[in-house]
Amino acid sequence: MRGAPGGPRVLLRRLREIMAEPLPAQARLDRITILIAANMVSEVCSLYVMRADGTLELYATEGLNREAVHLTTMRAGEGLVGLIAANADPLALSDAQTHPAFSYRPETGEESYHGFLGVPVLRAGNTLGVLVVQNKTHRVYTEEEVEALQTTSMILAELIASGELQSLGEPGTETAARRPLQIRGAALVDGLGLGYVVLHEPRIVVRNIIAADSDAEILRLDAAIEEVRLSIDAMLERGDIAHGGEHRDVLETFRMFAHDQGWLRRMREAVRTGITAEAAVERVQSDSRARLMRSTDPFLRERLHDLDELANRLLHRLVGVDLVATRENLPENAIIVARMMGPAALLDYDRSRLRGLVLEEGGQTSHIAIVARALNIPVVSEVENAASLVEAGDAVIVDGGAGEIHVRPPPDIEAAYAEKARLRARRQAQYRLLRDKPAVTRDGVEIALQLNAGLLVDLPHLEETGARGIGLFRTELQFMIAERMPSAKDQQALYASVFEGAGGLPVTFRSLDIGGDKLLPYMPRVEEENPALGWRAIRIALDRPALLRTQARALLKAAAGRHLRIMFPMVATTAEFLQAKRFVEGELAFLTAHGSAVPAEISLGAMVEVPSLLFEIDEIAAAADFLSVGSNDLMQFLFAVDRGNKLVADRFDPLSLPSMRALRLVAGRATAVGCPVTVCGELAGRPLDAMALIGLGFRSLSMSAAAIGPVKAMILALDGARLADLVETELRGLDGGGDNLRPILSDFAARHGIPV
Ligand code: PEP
Ligand code: MG
């Protein structure tokens, strides 16, 4: 390589030595720039560090005026340095001064230099600064020299990210690498969490950068690539995914990338500059990230995850770090940050130390959301690049209600959130005081408050909240988080544990509500135009009775000697209910004939969540032992709004005339024929909406654990008779032209001091 005394390998070794010396930060930087300038045979070497506001500040220079250090700044996009930062691409020019972006700074004394080579200082694809060398001559920098400077910049990236330079900048400024960030994502699970970042399946930080023997490193790299390729092939050949589907697509993409010649060539070239195989993987990946992150093509941006995952697999092989190490020794106040995560992985962490979860991917109905909700862990998802923007140990706040996170929060933000968290805790403590108070209105109307549950981790909430039982046990949750279909024996054991955990309180099991958005990973996927209206819930049960029969038998056995309550989801006609009932009766007859112990009592109910049932309400109330209104689906089908579609989800109010009339019909007719009725959708857990339900005549509500306290507080302050009068009058008086009970009920609550 031209004019590089000792070449890049010597430079890297010398840099390592300087990094290890006990020097003040500025002295270290000055030594580094002198060394790079000498090694690159350049008169100038300067380091610009990106500040939190995006400007680039000159932090050190050899060759330019030293007085300009910490004074000269460039805005992003300004000058050649700003251009390199904005594009995250190296720039080599034989005459910098003729470049249109050249910006002359008299204080630096730059006018006499022509040859210019600048590279971005990147870490995980984020630009932390710019490293520049300059020559008086019209020097043409070779590709190898560009490579060498890029490799050198990796070491500077490590230095900047370590926070060591933080104190050097102009007072009041912060480096971009450590700046506070406020990032919006999607609100997935409500709650506030303050703590410190723990990276789930952490990106491996390469510390061993300099290679002793490049040929040996190439061999290591090739061997690791071969191993990764073979493992992908093995996964593809495994029977369980060979039939196609999403897993296969992902793996096929992996395989394509793993065989990409350009990617391999870039990594080999990087090794030849004198770095280790793992440092080469990291460097090439950081460059690809920087490029893909700036791409506006959504397809290309999507590929970023695949490439990241592949690079991580390679790093694993090379560095041999165990990914799950942090699980057992999770620090206190941990906030897990992950690209994505399966539900089983979350259950592996020690709940008592977990304060929150931040995800790059994961929707409302994702399995991770279900489990996090059960564990009461605040979650913000859809936080782009979350795992790359934070470092392990960073302070972070998760605001699950607002769908926002604060990384490295400034003291005022941290104090505000700490206060908010204290207030929440105080409120929770007040709700806990209500635990043993019966939920009775001021005029003596008793409301049965029950819990919605679905996992064993939900059961302790019964004790904590003082709920009267489990009004909705979503049996499909256990199926959704399992690796394979739970056997009859597994199911029986699970249901027995539920009875055990409920300690004699009633539990209403809902038969499998799968299909639609609730897919079982191990069941073949059926392509449907409209899955919400498709083959799901009781429809699958009636078409594939083996599923329902197995579940019913497991429930009947687990409930031996107890009261078993089962309800069927998505019932559209009374005939469907009766058919499902016959299957359960068939299983009961079978067990009895074989001398098995059976439940002391059995109640079979129907969920009212398909509007057709409103027009058969008398028949279903007569046929079923109880009814339960699934308001989530009922509203979805009543108003024809997809419950998961943000564009329309808030378009109609459940407290408006059509839904209030529908709900009044159910409450009225069920009560008239003496059929017990509960509301178990989200509506029942929101205090004002729950108040409306009580006003319509509902006396039993089932909700999430977190909702019990607020709803009970509302009930204790309520005058039931006055509310019923108001609702009746208003419903009669509403003109149907868009009228809504919400403002009227809010006003009622405000006037009577009812907390809603
Ligand atoms: C509902 O639809 O309101 C309900 C309780 O069931 P799920 O939310 O599980 O569909
Ligand atoms: Mg439903």
mmCIF file with all atom_site columns, all heavy atoms in Angstrom, residues 510 513 609 633 643, ligand 2:
data_model
loop_
_atom_site.group_PDB
_atom_site.id
_atom_site.type_symbol
_atom_site.label_atom_id
_atom_site.label_alt_id
_atom_site.label_comp_id
_atom_site.label_asym_id
_atom_site.label_entity_id
_atom_site.label_seq_id
_atom_site.pdbx_PDB_ins_code
_atom_site.Cartn_x
_atom_site.Cartn_y
_atom_site.Cartn_z
_atom_site.occupancy
_atom_site.B_iso_or_equiv
_atom_site.pdbx_formal_charge
_atom_site.auth_seq_id
_atom_site.auth_comp_id
_atom_site.auth_asym_id
_atom_site.auth_atom_id
_atom_site.pdbx_PDB_model_num
ATOM   1  N  N   . ARG A 1 510 ? -63.392 -20.735 28.087 1.00 0.00 ? 510 ARG A N   1
ATOM   2  C  CA  . ARG A 1 510 ? -63.924 -20.569 26.736 1.00 0.00 ? 510 ARG A CA  1
ATOM   3  C  C   . ARG A 1 510 ? -63.252 -21.612 25.851 1.00 0.00 ? 510 ARG A C   1
ATOM   4  O  O   . ARG A 1 510 ? -62.027 -21.761 25.897 1.00 0.00 ? 510 ARG A O   1
ATOM   5  C  CB  . ARG A 1 510 ? -63.623 -19.163 26.212 1.00 0.00 ? 510 ARG A CB  1
ATOM   6  C  CG  . ARG A 1 510 ? -64.044 -19.008 24.760 1.00 0.00 ? 510 ARG A CG  1
ATOM   7  C  CD  . ARG A 1 510 ? -63.961 -17.597 24.307 1.00 0.00 ? 510 ARG A CD  1
ATOM   8  N  NE  . ARG A 1 510 ? -62.583 -17.184 24.074 1.00 0.00 ? 510 ARG A NE  1
ATOM   9  C  CZ  . ARG A 1 510 ? -62.256 -15.951 23.716 1.00 0.00 ? 510 ARG A CZ  1
ATOM   10 N  NH1 . ARG A 1 510 ? -63.186 -15.027 23.606 1.00 0.00 ? 510 ARG A NH1 1
ATOM   11 N  NH2 . ARG A 1 510 ? -61.009 -15.644 23.500 1.00 0.00 ? 510 ARG A NH2 1
ATOM   12 N  N   . ASP A 1 513 ? -60.708 -20.421 20.821 1.00 0.00 ? 513 ASP A N   1
ATOM   13 C  CA  . ASP A 1 513 ? -61.130 -19.345 19.916 1.00 0.00 ? 513 ASP A CA  1
ATOM   14 C  C   . ASP A 1 513 ? -59.962 -19.072 18.971 1.00 0.00 ? 513 ASP A C   1
ATOM   15 O  O   . ASP A 1 513 ? -59.240 -18.089 19.128 1.00 0.00 ? 513 ASP A O   1
ATOM   16 C  CB  . ASP A 1 513 ? -61.468 -18.092 20.738 1.00 0.00 ? 513 ASP A CB  1
ATOM   17 C  CG  . ASP A 1 513 ? -62.083 -16.991 19.871 1.00 0.00 ? 513 ASP A CG  1
ATOM   18 O  OD1 . ASP A 1 513 ? -62.302 -17.230 18.672 1.00 0.00 ? 513 ASP A OD1 1
ATOM   19 O  OD2 . ASP A 1 513 ? -62.331 -15.894 20.404 1.00 0.00 ? 513 ASP A OD2 1
ATOM   20 N  N   . GLU A 1 609 ? -71.392 -12.342 20.482 1.00 0.00 ? 609 GLU A N   1
ATOM   21 C  CA  . GLU A 1 609 ? -70.436 -11.443 19.839 1.00 0.00 ? 609 GLU A CA  1
ATOM   22 C  C   . GLU A 1 609 ? -70.627 -11.377 18.333 1.00 0.00 ? 609 GLU A C   1
ATOM   23 O  O   . GLU A 1 609 ? -69.911 -10.670 17.642 1.00 0.00 ? 609 GLU A O   1
ATOM   24 C  CB  . GLU A 1 609 ? -68.986 -11.817 20.202 1.00 0.00 ? 609 GLU A CB  1
ATOM   25 C  CG  . GLU A 1 609 ? -68.615 -13.265 20.035 1.00 0.00 ? 609 GLU A CG  1
ATOM   26 C  CD  . GLU A 1 609 ? -67.182 -13.568 20.482 1.00 0.00 ? 609 GLU A CD  1
ATOM   27 O  OE1 . GLU A 1 609 ? -66.409 -12.647 20.805 1.00 0.00 ? 609 GLU A OE1 1
ATOM   28 O  OE2 . GLU A 1 609 ? -66.828 -14.765 20.491 1.00 0.00 ? 609 GLU A OE2 1
ATOM   29 N  N   . ASP A 1 633 ? -65.651 -8.212  19.764 1.00 0.00 ? 633 ASP A N   1
ATOM   30 C  CA  . ASP A 1 633 ? -66.113 -8.692  18.468 1.00 0.00 ? 633 ASP A CA  1
ATOM   31 C  C   . ASP A 1 633 ? -67.496 -8.146  18.135 1.00 0.00 ? 633 ASP A C   1
ATOM   32 O  O   . ASP A 1 633 ? -67.780 -7.835  16.983 1.00 0.00 ? 633 ASP A O   1
ATOM   33 C  CB  . ASP A 1 633 ? -66.119 -10.224 18.433 1.00 0.00 ? 633 ASP A CB  1
ATOM   34 C  CG  . ASP A 1 633 ? -64.741 -10.768 18.090 1.00 0.00 ? 633 ASP A CG  1
ATOM   35 O  OD1 . ASP A 1 633 ? -64.130 -10.233 17.144 1.00 0.00 ? 633 ASP A OD1 1
ATOM   36 O  OD2 . ASP A 1 633 ? -64.266 -11.694 18.771 1.00 0.00 ? 633 ASP A OD2 1
ATOM   37 N  N   . ARG A 1 643 ? -61.379 -4.521  14.352 1.00 0.00 ? 643 ARG A N   1
ATOM   38 C  CA  . ARG A 1 643 ? -60.963 -4.094  15.702 1.00 0.00 ? 643 ARG A CA  1
ATOM   39 C  C   . ARG A 1 643 ? -59.462 -3.823  15.790 1.00 0.00 ? 643 ARG A C   1
ATOM   40 O  O   . ARG A 1 643 ? -59.003 -3.137  16.691 1.00 0.00 ? 643 ARG A O   1
ATOM   41 C  CB  . ARG A 1 643 ? -61.387 -5.128  16.749 1.00 0.00 ? 643 ARG A CB  1
ATOM   42 C  CG  . ARG A 1 643 ? -60.767 -6.488  16.564 1.00 0.00 ? 643 ARG A CG  1
ATOM   43 C  CD  . ARG A 1 643 ? -61.456 -7.542  17.423 1.00 0.00 ? 643 ARG A CD  1
ATOM   44 N  NE  . ARG A 1 643 ? -60.694 -7.845  18.627 1.00 0.00 ? 643 ARG A NE  1
ATOM   45 C  CZ  . ARG A 1 643 ? -60.977 -8.834  19.469 1.00 0.00 ? 643 ARG A CZ  1
ATOM   46 N  NH1 . ARG A 1 643 ? -62.035 -9.617  19.238 1.00 0.00 ? 643 ARG A NH1 1
ATOM   47 N  NH2 . ARG A 1 643 ? -60.252 -9.048  20.521 1.00 0.00 ? 643 ARG A NH2 1
HETATM 48 MG MG  . MG  B 2 .   ? -64.259 -12.381 20.695 1.00 0.00 ? 2   MG  B MG  1
#
